[in-house]
Amino acid sequence: MERTLVLVKPDALQRGLVGEIVARFERKGLKLAGMKLMNLTDATLDEHYSHLKDKPFFPGLKSFMRTTPVVALCLEGVEAVEAVRGLCGVTNARRAAPGTIRGDMGMSNQCNLVHASDSLETAQAEVKRFFRDDELLSYASASDHTVYADDERK
Ligand code: IDP
Ligand code: MG
């Protein structure tokens, strides 16, 4: 099973969309391995968005991400990284496909409701960035055997 990181961003908190967003991941069949409300520090954001540090929107992005706490989720599933990115939609919410979180709920390039890890390698680093080992839980769920066929669960 893969694990991937999602951050429910401050615009979603302010708009009361946390439940709706978490529900979409649950409904898909992804399993919650970790979930917490947290304030992001400047240092964490510098690291998390280091690939964007030279972009003109970087300072605005960092300040947006600190307007309220975010909800960090660690989601588990077969090919979870790709499945979660698909549910989120493309970065610019105005262009995101209907049916995706960004496509259904957003109109902004910056305030696009969610962050999701973009590769397995990134996901491993990002889950570590936001969760301690003892905050990630493995447990049997009644749906484990209905979400997947036996030969798909690894
Ligand atoms: P992603 O979140 O879809 O992976 P990235 O390119 O990694 O997109 O950008 C990280 C975040 O930076 C985006 O989710 C969005 O909040 C913000 N962002 C990206 N491009 C722009 C832009 O052109 N203007 C303003 N904010 C942007
Ligand atoms: Mg990204």
Side-chain angles (χ1 to χ4, degrees):
M1 291 273 176
E2 290 179 10
R3 281 181 169 176
T4 189
L5 179 89
V6 167
L7 300 176
V8 184
K9 294 182 176 182
D11 55 323
L13 260 83
Q14 286 177 326
R15 293 173 59 198
L17 294 174
V18 174
E20 163 77 27
I21 289 169
V22 175
R24 287 182 178 219
F25 294 122
E26 281 190 297
R27 204 152 63 209
K28 176 74 170 166
L30 290 149
K31 195 167 178 178
L32 278 165
M35 183 169 176
K36 63 177 172 177
L37 194 60
M38 61 194 297
N39 282 314
L40 301 184
T41 65
D42 211 45
T44 300
L45 285 164
D46 278 340
E47 186 179 284
H48 187 63
Y49 285 132
S50 61
H51 61 297
L52 301 171
K53 68 178 188 314
D54 298 324
K55 300 282 187 191
F57 59 81
F58 183 63
L61 172 63
K62 277 180 32 180
S63 105
F64 158 62
M65 290 297 287
R66 299 190 67 191
T67 49
T68 68
V70 299
V71 180
L73 310 173
C74 176
L75 297 170
E76 192 175 271
V78 174
E79 294 170 11
V81 174
E82 191 183 344
V84 168
R85 286 284 286 191
L87 286 186
C88 292
V90 298
T91 307
N92 185 337
R94 288 190 291 280
R95 297 191 194 132
T100 64
I101 290 167
R102 288 166 170 172
D104 286 351
M105 291 182 253
M107 279 296 284
S108 168
N109 203 4
Q110 177 182 268
C111 306
N112 56 5
L113 301 137
V114 278
H115 164 84
S117 307
D118 63 8
S119 70
L120 190 50
E121 198 183 16
T122 313
Q124 283 161 354
E126 290 186 344
V127 168
K128 274 204 181 73
R129 181 172 303 141
F130 292 93
F131 288 97
R132 297 191 314 264
D133 282 352
D134 65 353
E135 293 175 322
L136 296 171
L137 307 181
S138 294
Y139 54 96
S141 153
S143 65
D144 286 347
H145 297 272
T146 50
V147 169
Y148 301 104
D150 285 341
D151 63 354
E152 286 175 310
R153 251 181 301 107
K154 289 175 213 95

